[in-house]
Amino acid sequence: DELLAAWSPQLAREFNAVLAICGDGALRDMVQEAEMRSEGSIAYLGAIADSTEVMRMADVLILPSHCESFGNVIVEALASGLPVAATACGIAPRVLAGGRCGWLIAQAGRDAIGATLRTLFSESAVWEQKSAEGMAVVEQFSIDRTADAYMDIYRQLLADSRPGC
């Protein structure tokens, strides 16, 4: 709801942008109402089983969460070549390499999101650079590296186990 509050037809016209929102949940009615009042600057896409097509059409991913543990969508977007604007919570600051791969939103509030939107649209010349940085950073989150890390943990746990414990 803070993203919707921060988005405006004026911002959309100024930067020739459309906010596409995916998902289905408690805010669906609010998003649909915002789309109807948006003068074409918001497109509600509903629930999307495979976000690949949406990411191919997008220029940037915006994820203004109050709480996000890992945020697979951030890694998926970066792997797709999209720069990301995400709230500085959970693992986002690490995945975004402190802002090298995108923009960190200070908090999930209207003013902070609005300021970040203005900044990222004003800096569209660096999107390609941030995209390249993101594709390099996500390598550390590949399935092979993640599986190897889990196997290392299991090996350590087995090595530390004692009979009868």
Side-chain angles (χ1 to χ4, degrees):
D1 57 338
E2 290 95 347
L3 175 57
L4 290 174
W7 190 261
S8 71
Q10 176 189 353
L11 180 74
R13 282 190 300 274
E14 184 178 343
F15 294 105
N16 192 28
V18 174
L19 177 64
I21 299 178
C22 302
D24 187 28
L27 300 178
R28 180 185 57 227
D29 292 342
M30 178 190 306
V31 173
Q32 288 174 323
E33 288 173 24
E35 177 186 35
M36 287 188 292
R37 294 188 315 267
S38 74
E39 301 173 25
S41 70
I42 296 174
Y44 175 56
L45 306 178
I48 304 290
D50 181 4
S51 62
T52 308
E53 278 302 310
V54 176
M55 289 196 192
R56 283 190 192 129
M57 296 183 322
D59 293 313
V60 65
L61 173 80
I62 304 166
L63 184 66
S65 300
H66 286 270
C67 177
E68 192 73 46
S69 59
F70 185 82
N72 282 334
V73 71
I74 296 172
V75 174
E76 291 166 357
L78 293 174
S80 298
L82 285 179
V84 173
T87 314
C89 66
I91 200 165
R94 178 174 166 218
V95 176
L96 295 180
R100 277 194 355 248
C101 313
W103 298 263
L104 289 168
I105 303 168
Q107 59 188 14
R110 175 186 180 166
D111 294 339
I113 294 168
T116 302
L117 289 173
R118 286 205 160 278
T119 299
L120 78 88
F121 285 130
S122 298
E123 295 178 351
S124 61
V126 301
W127 288 10
E128 191 173 320
Q129 174 190 344
K130 288 186 181 284
S131 173
E133 290 276 352
M135 292 178 82
V137 166
V138 296
E139 286 300 315
Q140 66 183 297
F141 301 103
S142 73
I143 190 70
D144 291 334
R145 288 189 73 172
T146 302
D148 288 344
Y150 276 113
M151 289 304 295
D152 289 343
I153 292 168
Y154 295 141
R155 284 186 195 101
Q156 183 65 40
L157 289 170
L158 289 171
D160 291 346
S161 67
R162 289 174 264 144
C165 291

